[in-house]
Amino acid sequence: MAGKAVVSLATGLEDPERVTVAFLVALGAAEQGRPTLMFLTKEATRLALEGVATGVACDGCPPLADLLARYAKAGGRYLVCPICFDARKLGKSGLIEGAELGGTVPMWQWIGDEGATTFSY
């Protein structure tokens, strides 16, 4: 099995190109068979809600909705910072497929002793 990948994303749709790049990196790992986790914090927590990650970041960029669909199909998971999520008064019932609330302890448990390749955006 290929090694794990963790992509940490703190930016939301205020910077859609950064979001697109983070999803492209995570998608590349997931589609290559790597167990992949996106750790969403700050404004990125909103991306874990149905209907939020939409639009196209730039001319020639793939639609965010397509990236999310491919990431889900490849088995990608999301860990959403519960402190950030609750501070924004977001609703847990609207979480997208593969998303769950969890902080740094569950992230480190998921990584485990084998380690992971990490990216931060």
Side-chain angles (χ1 to χ4, degrees):
M1 175 191 320
K4 293 179 177 181
V6 177
V7 176
S8 177
L9 178 60
T11 304
L13 293 178
E14 71 277 12
D15 189 346
E17 285 184 87
R18 184 180 299 256
V19 171
T20 298
V21 170
F23 270 94
L24 287 169
V25 170
L27 180 58
E31 287 186 338
Q32 292 299 311
R34 292 180 184 273
T36 306
L37 178 73
M38 290 191 77
F39 184 54
L40 305 179
T41 62
K42 297 172 61 179
E43 281 301 307
T45 58
R46 297 179 192 279
L47 300 170
L49 294 174
E50 288 288 341
V52 172
T54 61
V56 178
C58 63
D59 187 30
C61 287
L64 288 173
D66 291 354
L67 296 177
L68 268 70
R70 286 175 56 195
Y71 185 67
K73 184 177 179 185
R77 296 180 51 199
Y78 304 90
L79 197 57
V80 182
C81 173
I83 295 169
C84 302
F85 192 86
D86 291 343
R88 286 159 179 77
K89 298 177 179 29
L90 302 175
K92 296 173 184 143
S93 64
L95 288 172
I96 61 177
E97 178 184 350
E100 62 181 291
L101 296 183
T104 57
V105 172
M107 179 187 64
W108 283 109
Q109 289 171 336
W110 184 85
I111 291 171
D113 292 336
E114 64 199 54
T117 300
T118 62
F119 298 87
S120 183
Y121 296 94

